[in-house]
Every structure is written in C-alpha cells, then in structure tokens.
Amino acid sequence: GKSQTVNPEKMQAILSKFSPEQMSRYECYRRSGFQKSNMRRLLQGVAGCTVSIPMTIVMSGIAKMFVGELVETGRIVMTERKESGPIRPCHIREAYRRLKVKGKVPQRTRPRLFH
C-alpha cells in the first residue's frame, strides 16, 4: 500500500495559522494516547481471545483518531451554538450523534445477548 506522508512545509503553513488555544490543543493531541495494557485488556475482553501487541497499537491509533474527530465535531457544535470554554458532555453527545449519522461510528455486527 501507499503510505501517507505529510509535506513538512504544508504542515508548517497549517500550524502557523493556529491560534494559541488551537496550538495547545494540537500539542495535547500529539502527546496523548491510550495505555497499551488497558487497551489490550479491553480488546481481549471484547474479542474473547488474546490480542497481539501490534493489533493493540493499531486499535489504539484508531481509537485516538475517533476521539480526535469526536472532539473536533464537539468544537464545531460549540461554535454553532456560540458557546466557548471547555467542551461539555452535551457537545460530545451531539458530536457522537452527528458522526453516527455520517456512518463514522462502528456498528455492532452481532446482536446483544442481554439488553
């Protein structure tokens, strides 16, 4: 497959347009991640079998991208509502609803045993 690389000049141009608040959020995003042991335990609980370290790393990356998209959409919700300050649960819920409508929330493939 073709790997995606980001043009450093293009990235610098984007970062130079960030407000101090956006830059702070971006730096937090870059430093953040899920603890591998917790992610592996969660995945093994869901899968019902052992999960490899590489699979744990991949799923952690996917989860981080999803959380980033959820927060980004939550910020859009706040802007639309002309609200500022910290993101609140109501913004995350609306962001989740919007992402679900767009088909960006994974759906359960098997029905639940208990409701």
Side-chain angles (χ1 to χ4, degrees):
K2 188 180 153 196
S3 68
Q4 288 187 330
T5 56
V6 179
N7 178 338
E9 293 91 40
K10 197 173 187 181
M11 192 67 191
Q12 195 56 48
I14 293 167
L15 292 177
S16 69
K17 291 179 173 50
F18 277 9
S19 69
E21 185 187 358
Q22 287 173 318
M23 185 56 88
S24 174
R25 274 203 313 268
Y26 176 71
E27 287 169 359
C28 286
Y29 172 78
R30 286 290 303 249
R31 284 192 306 267
S32 70
F34 293 97
Q35 198 172 13
K36 283 187 192 72
S37 59
N38 291 340
M39 182 58 82
R40 192 166 192 212
R41 195 169 31 249
L42 173 70
L43 292 172
Q44 288 178 168
V46 171
C49 60
T50 58
V51 177
S52 69
I53 298 291
M55 180 54 74
T56 304
I57 293 166
V58 167
M59 290 305 293
S60 294
I62 292 169
K64 182 176 174 174
M65 287 171 36
F66 178 72
V67 170
E69 198 159 355
L70 199 59
V71 170
E72 189 179 328
T73 306
R75 285 277 166 198
I76 292 167
V77 170
M78 289 178 70
T79 303
E80 290 170 359
R81 295 178 180 178
K82 295 173 179 35
E83 295 174 354
S84 61
I87 195 163
R88 298 197 320 270
C90 62
H91 304 128
I92 296 293
R93 281 191 291 271
E94 175 58 17
Y96 183 84
R97 188 195 68 76
R98 290 182 187 188
L99 291 176
K100 198 170 183 178
V101 167
K102 288 182 182 176
K104 293 187 173 186
V105 175
Q107 296 298 307
R108 184 179 292 277
T109 54
R110 288 181 284 162
R112 282 187 177 165
L113 294 175
F114 307 103
H115 294 280

